[in-house]
């Protein structure tokens, strides 16, 4: 099993969720975060003053999926979250040792 963690734009959340549903990925978490990439945030203008914003609001979406579908989930998120502009986000993947469904005590992929 794999944890797929995607940092995406707020306005892309709906598209990403829909695209994941279409490939059967349903269980997920969404968190509002602040982060920065290689540009270290951005320069913003507010009431005439120019200032640096160190951290920008982003969405963190996390879903644990079968190994069999992990690559497809990543591709799906990448396509749905893409605008082509800087700040589109990033996707991280790592191995998950165990998933337990509390209600049934199912273990592993059955519990996803
Ligand atoms: N190396 C990283 N580790 C953890 N989180 C990161 C990392 N890089 C980016 N992020 C998160 O992803 C968000 C979006 O990053 P962003 O898309 O700006 O990446 P980038 O590497 O700067 O690429 P781009 O040049 O397309 O902007 C950041 O605000 C931060 O929350
Ligand atoms: Mg960036």
């Amino acid at each position: 099993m794999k944890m797929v963690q995607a940092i995406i734009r707020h306005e892309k959340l709906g598209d990403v969720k829909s695209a994941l549903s279409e490939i059967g990925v349903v269980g997920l978490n969404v968190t509002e975060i602040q982060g920065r990439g290689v540009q270290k945030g951005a320069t913003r203008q507010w009431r005439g003053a120019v200032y640096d914003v160190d951290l920008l609001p982003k969405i963190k979406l996390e879903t644990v999926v079968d190994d069999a579908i992990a690559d497809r989930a990543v591709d799906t998120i990448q396509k749905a979250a893409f605008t082509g502009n800087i700040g589109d986000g990033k996707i991280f993947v790592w191995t998950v040792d165990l998933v337990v469904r509390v209600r049934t005590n199912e273990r592993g992929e059955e519990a996803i």
Side-chain angles (χ1 to χ4, degrees), residues 36-41 86-88:
R36 69 181 191 189
V38 292
Q39 292 85 10
K40 298 183 185 172
I86 60 171
D88 267 357

Side-chain angles (χ1 to χ4, degrees), residues 3 10 22 30 38 41-43 46 59-61 67 71 79-81 86 90 92 95-96 105 107-109:
M3 166 63 84
H10 273 76
E22 282 172 20
V30 173
V38 292
T43 301
W46 192 69
I59 290 290
K60 180 173 73 178
L61 182 149
D67 287 330
D71 287 345
K79 286 193 177 76
I86 60 171
K90 215 157 267 187
F92 305 95
T95 300
V96 171
N105 200 28
R107 308 271 162 147
E109 293 184 352

